Amino acid sequence: MTHYDLVVVGTGSGNTIVTRQFADRKVAIVERGTFGGTCLNVGCIPTKMFVHTADLAAVPSHSSRLGVDEQLVGVRWQDIRDRIFGRIDPISASGSEYRLNHPNNVNVTLYHGTGRFTGERELTVTAADDGQTEVLTADQFVLAAGSRPIVPFIPGLEETGFHTSETIMRMERLPGRLGIIGGGFVAAELAHVFSSLGVDVTMIVRSDLLLRHEDSEIAKRYTELAQERYTVKFRHETVGVQRRDDGIVLEMLCPDGSDELVVDELLVAVGRTPNSDVLNVEAAGVEVESDGRVIVDKFQQTAAEGIYALGDICSPYQLKHVANHEARVVQHNLLHPDDRIESDHRYVPHAVFGAPQVASVGLTEEEAIEQNIQYTVGRQAYADIAYGWAMEDTTGFAKILADPATGKLLGCHVIGPQAATVIQPVIQAMSFGLDAHTMARGQYWIHPAMPELIENALLNLKLKN
C-alpha cells in the first residue's frame, strides 16, 4: 500500500491539473488506456483531422456550380489515416514519457492500469502489462476517467464484430458499404467523413430526425441535407446482426414491419457512458446519477470528502472545453481550499462538424417554450449576406433568441459554413452580458465577412426598446 497526497485518475484534462504548483506534493496519475484521453486519441482531434480531409474531398461535388470543374481522382485511406495518427500517437507517447522520466516530475508516479476503489480513499490498480495489483491511498482524489462508447444489446452484435468511434478511424481499408447505428453528433460527423471519401453510407436512426437534441429548425434542415448525401433509415430499430458471405446483415424493425441492410462494416454510435462503474466509485462513498454520472457540487467536489471529479465522468455535456474548464476549477480548489471557485456552466456551446457544420449555445426555441420564457427570434440566411452570396450557400442560416423586453441574449443556433467559428461572438456576448442592441451596434462588423450573419440576425430581432 502506497500513500499519496493526490491521485488523479485519467490523463485527458485531468493530466493538466498536475503542474509545478504541486511540486511539494506526492502525486500519482493512473491511466488504463492510451495516455492523453479521449479527445487526443479517439475524439476531437483525430475526428476533426478526418473531417477537414473529408471537406476537401467533397469540394469537387459542388464546385462546378461556381464554374470550377474538379474531379476527385482518388482517396488513399492508409495515407490519410497514417498522416493523422502519425502526428497524434507521438504526442500521446511523449506525454507519457514526460510523466515517467522528466526531472520536473520526480514527485509524480504514473501507473498504467485499471483503478477500482476498494474502500474510502483507497484505489486498487491492476497493471496493464502484467496484471499485478497495487493499492494506492491518498488524501485527495480527482476522478477524470472520462467515458466510453455505449454498446447496446443487439443479438449477434458481439459475435459479428463492429466498430465504435474508438476503432473505426484505424481501419486497414475503406469499406464499400458502411452502416451507422445512431443519429447524434458522432454518427453525423463520421457519416460525413466516410461518405465524402466515397463510401456508401446508410444511417439507422430510431427517431424521425438527425441531431434531434438541436433546435428543431436546425435538426430538420440538417436532416434534409443529409438525405441528399446518403441513405437514412428513420424509425428503424436494429434487432439482430449476423455475418453472411455477402457482408454484415442488419435485421431491423420499422413502421412497415421489417427491413434488412447488408454492409461491409458496421459503426455503433449511439452515445457514451461514464466510466464511474469501471472505477467502482460507490465504494469510495461517491454518489452517481441514474445514468452513471458522478454527482458533483458547484466546486466539482463529490459527496465523498476530498474527492473531486471533472469531465465526461460527471458532466452531461461530454465536451473537451467543458472538461478543461472544470480541470482549471479543480486545480484552483486543490491549491486554495480556503478560497474555492465555482464552475461556470451558464453558456456552454457545442458544435457538430458535419456537412454542414452546426453550432449552438443557450436555449433552443423548444426549451424557451417549455420553460415559459418570453423570447423573440431573429433569423438570417447565409444566402442574404455578401459572403454567403459569394459561396452560393442556399441552405444555411443563423437563429438568435433574445428577451424582447431587455434584449438579453438567450440562445443562438447556426447551420452552415464555419458555424463553429461564426457563433463565437454570441458566446462572448452572452458570457459578458452584452444585450442584442449593444452587440449589434456597439462594434464594427467586417464587410463582407461571415460574422455579418450574426450582425443581421441580431438586427432582425423584434425588441421592445
Side-chain angles (χ1 to χ4, degrees), residues 9-11 30-35 111-115 126 128 145 147-148 166 275 277-279:
V9 184
T11 59
V30 180
E31 175 57 67
R32 78 183 185 112
T34 306
F35 192 96
Y111 291 86
H112 281 292
T114 299
T126 303
S147 62
R148 64 187 184 277
E166 297 190 351
N275 284 324
D277 57 337
V278 177
L279 286 176

Side-chain angles (χ1 to χ4, degrees), residues 61-367:
S61 67
H62 53 76
S63 65
S64 60
R65 71 170 186 253
L66 303 180
V68 179
D69 297 324
E70 297 179 319
Q71 291 183 335
L72 180 61
V73 177
V75 170
R76 303 191 305 276
W77 168 253
Q78 291 187 351
D79 288 351
I80 293 171
R81 180 200 63 191
D82 293 349
R83 179 190 75 87
I84 292 170
F85 290 108
R87 297 178 68 185
I88 287 173
D89 291 347
I91 296 173
S92 172
S94 64
S96 178
E97 175 65 21
Y98 176 81
R99 287 303 187 194
L100 283 168
N101 297 315
H102 196 279
N104 288 344
N105 285 280
V106 292
N107 66 313
V108 179
T109 302
L110 176 62
Y111 291 86
H112 281 292
T114 299
R116 284 183 64 82
F117 282 102
T118 47
E120 184 178 346
R121 301 189 203 177
E122 179 184 284
L123 187 77
T124 298
V125 179
T126 303
D129 53 359
D130 59 12
Q132 295 294 309
T133 62
E134 184 169 349
V135 178
L136 315 182
T137 60
D139 298 325
Q140 294 177 308
F141 282 86
V142 175
L143 311 183
S147 62
R148 64 187 184 277
I150 293 172
V151 179
F153 173 73
I154 301 173
L157 182 63
E158 294 288 348
E159 297 82 356
T160 301
F162 61 96
H163 285 286
T164 69
S165 58
E166 297 190 351
T167 63
I168 195 164
M169 290 180 284
R170 291 184 184 262
M171 288 189 301
E172 282 300 312
R173 61 186 61 83
L174 279 179
R177 303 163 297 179
L178 174 65
I180 301 177
I181 299 177
F185 74 93
V186 173
E189 290 183 357
L190 291 175
H192 164 50
V193 167
F194 288 104
S195 65
S196 296
L197 299 181
V199 176
D200 181 6
V201 171
T202 301
M203 300 183 74
I204 301 100
V205 184
R206 294 179 65 176
S207 67
D208 294 315
L209 285 174
L210 301 177
L211 305 182
R212 62 187 178 89
H213 295 298
E214 300 292 336
D215 183 275
S216 64
E217 286 187 62
I218 299 290
K220 289 174 183 175
R221 179 60 53 85
Y222 192 92
T223 299
E224 292 168 0
L225 297 173
Q227 289 177 282
E228 296 176 2
R229 301 189 61 210
Y230 34 80
T231 302
V232 186
K233 292 182 176 292
F234 295 107
R235 300 174 65 187
H236 275 58
E237 181 177 1
T238 305
V239 295
V241 180
Q242 61 176 304
R243 188 177 292 276
R244 295 191 316 219
D245 291 341
D246 56 342
I248 298 171
V249 183
L250 284 75
E251 301 164 2
M252 300 166 288
L253 296 179
C254 62
D256 295 330
S258 61
D259 197 0
E260 183 179 282
L261 174 68
V262 182
V263 296
D264 301 306
E265 296 288 355
L266 176 62
L267 168 64
V268 177
V270 296
R272 299 180 66 86
T273 187
N275 284 324
S276 58
D277 57 337
V278 177
L279 286 176
N280 190 34
V281 297
E282 290 93 338
V286 174
E287 297 176 356
V288 297
E289 301 278 9
S290 59
D291 62 0
R293 282 182 295 118
V294 168
I295 298 173
V296 294
D297 63 14
K298 59 188 178 181
F299 304 112
Q300 297 298 134
Q301 182 170 313
T302 71
E305 183 68 26
I307 301 181
Y308 289 83
L310 64 93
D312 285 8
I313 199 168
C314 63
S315 171
Y317 300 105
Q318 296 187 338
L319 296 166
K320 177 63 171 175
H321 45 276
V322 173
N324 286 344
H325 167 75
E326 293 172 351
R328 291 190 291 269
V329 170
V330 170
Q331 182 191 57
H332 176 94
N333 292 342
L334 289 171
L335 293 168
H336 307 282
D338 296 325
D339 184 28
R340 296 195 298 174
I341 60 175
E342 301 176 7
S343 291
D344 183 0
H345 296 128
R346 293 173 302 155
Y347 309 115
V348 175
H350 68 266
V352 182
F353 293 82
Q357 285 188 14
V358 168
S360 175
V361 64
L363 295 177
T364 65
E365 188 168 1
E366 292 71 37
E367 289 170 338

Side-chain angles (χ1 to χ4, degrees), residues 14-33:
N15 181 55
T16 65
I17 290 174
V18 184
T19 62
R20 293 182 181 180
Q21 293 169 289
F22 289 85
D24 62 342
R25 306 189 192 190
K26 185 179 180 182
V27 179
I29 298 176
V30 180
E31 175 57 67
R32 78 183 185 112

